[in-house]
Amino acid sequence: MSLRREGESEEQSAIGAERDRETRRAYRERNAERISEGKRVWRQRNQEHIRAYRAAYNAEHGEEVATQKRAYMKAYTARKRAEQRRRQAKRASSKKYYEAHRAEHHEYTRQWQARKRAEDPDGYRAMRAKAQRRWWETHKDEYNAKLRAQHRENPEPKRAAARAYYAAHADELKAKKRAYYAENREKVLAGNRAWKEREKRRRDAGLPPRGIRSTSAAERRANTATADAFFARERTPEEIAAIRRKPASPVELLQPTPPELLAAFERDSQRARIEHTLATDGSYASRSQIAVARRWLAAQQPTRREQRQAIEDARMDAIGKQVNDRLRHREPPRRRHHLDPDPAAPHPMLNPNTTMGMSR
């Protein structure tokens, strides 16, 4: 803000202020990079001061800052929604216009491509290759899924093309196969061994050989039509009455499932669950090792039942000892006679040849 000089009119002061503002703006334009670098250096040198100032300001004006943020986010959300509505409206309008002028659009596109191809053939081919590569990177999964669905519905064209290509390049394909085997002999042999071991395990487990047969589209359609005809068929009242009149089988005539079939079903189910767990759960091996370790520790320590039995046995022994101590008859200890020189000598009253008493 420029100061008003003495004797200067208000109009002259306004002209001077505008001239100063224009000078500062021109200076900022000429030295934009230097000013930006100076601000960046100052901010880097005064990070703690800036952080403390912002914290103090937010603490003093918390409600005001929150109100400003809410207003900003409200306006931002409104702008985003308005932009989304504009894009949707534009997309719908463009689609409607394209449907109404499809032939004209195709003709314009062909003319534009012909003109670009005539002006710069190499540049046009490079542009087309870039566009096709960009489209392929965006839609390759969708396109491959479409090709797989077409092959499932009608595999014969692809098979015919493969047979024709092999017939025309038989020697080249055989040479390529021999070269691949020579370069990757160990890998091929390892794959063959793995396949043989897997088939041997299947045979040992009583499973049929692994065979994958693709169902043709005609066969699938026939199966679907047969299933629909069976389940959607409406029975006549006569057929329903005949079914109701048919006597039911008594319970004693119903044969139970043979035990060997039940055992085979349980075995196959357990094997399928194990294979699924091994294929989907990578931590199964570590958990299996932990379970083995826990079983080993449990085998080393007495079971809870054994512990309870040991405690009960000790309790019964203590009760029996108390009962025995209270009820057992004990003879009083023999007191030593004062005339017995030998503690092991017989008692004097037991001597039959005594000369004392009534028999003397």
Side-chain angles (χ1 to χ4, degrees), residues 99-307:
E99 293 294 337
H101 303 82
R102 181 178 297 181
E104 299 177 7
H105 180 75
H106 288 176
E107 182 61 26
Y108 174 80
T109 303
R110 283 192 293 269
Q111 293 179 3
W112 183 86
Q113 290 176 351
R115 186 173 67 255
K116 290 295 183 181
R117 189 184 303 110
E119 292 176 357
D120 187 6
D122 296 336
Y124 177 79
R125 282 194 294 269
M127 180 187 65
R128 289 287 296 174
K130 184 178 180 180
Q132 290 175 357
R133 191 182 310 108
R134 185 170 59 251
W135 183 91
W136 171 252
E137 291 176 354
T138 307
H139 301 82
K140 59 181 178 181
D141 295 335
E142 178 184 356
Y143 185 75
N144 289 333
K146 182 179 179 181
L147 291 181
R148 287 193 295 270
Q150 291 178 356
H151 179 68
R152 284 195 301 268
E153 293 296 330
N154 188 15
E156 190 56 34
K158 187 175 180 180
R159 294 174 181 173
R163 287 194 296 269
Y165 183 84
Y166 185 82
H169 305 82
D171 297 336
E172 180 182 352
L173 293 176
K174 290 179 182 178
K176 186 180 297 184
K177 189 174 181 179
R178 286 192 296 269
Y180 178 83
Y181 178 78
E183 293 179 359
N184 304 273
R185 185 172 182 275
E186 295 299 331
K187 180 180 177 181
V188 174
L189 294 179
N192 294 340
R193 287 192 297 270
W195 181 84
K196 292 179 181 179
E197 292 175 358
R198 184 174 64 248
E199 292 301 320
K200 183 178 182 300
R201 289 196 299 270
R202 293 177 65 86
R203 289 194 301 270
D204 296 341
L207 298 175
R210 181 179 178 85
I212 300 177
R213 185 182 70 86
S214 60
T215 307
S216 63
E219 187 176 356
R220 288 198 301 274
R221 286 192 294 268
N223 295 337
T224 304
T226 304
D228 293 341
F230 177 81
F231 290 105
R233 181 171 63 92
E234 296 183 0
R235 296 183 180 272
T236 61
E238 292 78 8
E239 292 176 343
I240 296 176
I243 292 174
R244 290 176 177 174
R245 288 194 303 269
K246 183 178 179 181
S249 300
V251 178
E252 58 270 10
L253 296 180
L254 298 178
Q255 299 295 330
T257 304
E260 58 273 11
L261 294 182
L262 289 177
F265 174 76
E266 294 292 340
R267 185 173 59 253
D268 296 342
S269 300
Q270 186 176 7
R271 183 182 299 109
R273 288 193 294 269
I274 292 173
E275 291 179 355
H276 176 73
T277 303
L278 291 175
T280 57
D281 192 352
S283 63
Y284 180 77
S286 60
R287 291 192 288 111
S288 177
Q289 294 175 1
I290 293 173
V292 171
R294 287 177 177 174
R295 286 196 295 270
W296 183 84
L297 290 176
Q300 301 299 320
Q301 299 176 358
T303 61
R304 185 173 300 177
R305 183 176 180 181
E306 294 175 351
Q307 293 177 357

Side-chain angles (χ1 to χ4, degrees), residues 310-324:
I311 294 173
E312 182 65 18
D313 293 344
R315 190 177 69 86
M316 295 301 296
D317 291 342
I319 294 175
K321 186 176 183 302
Q322 294 177 3
V323 172
N324 290 336

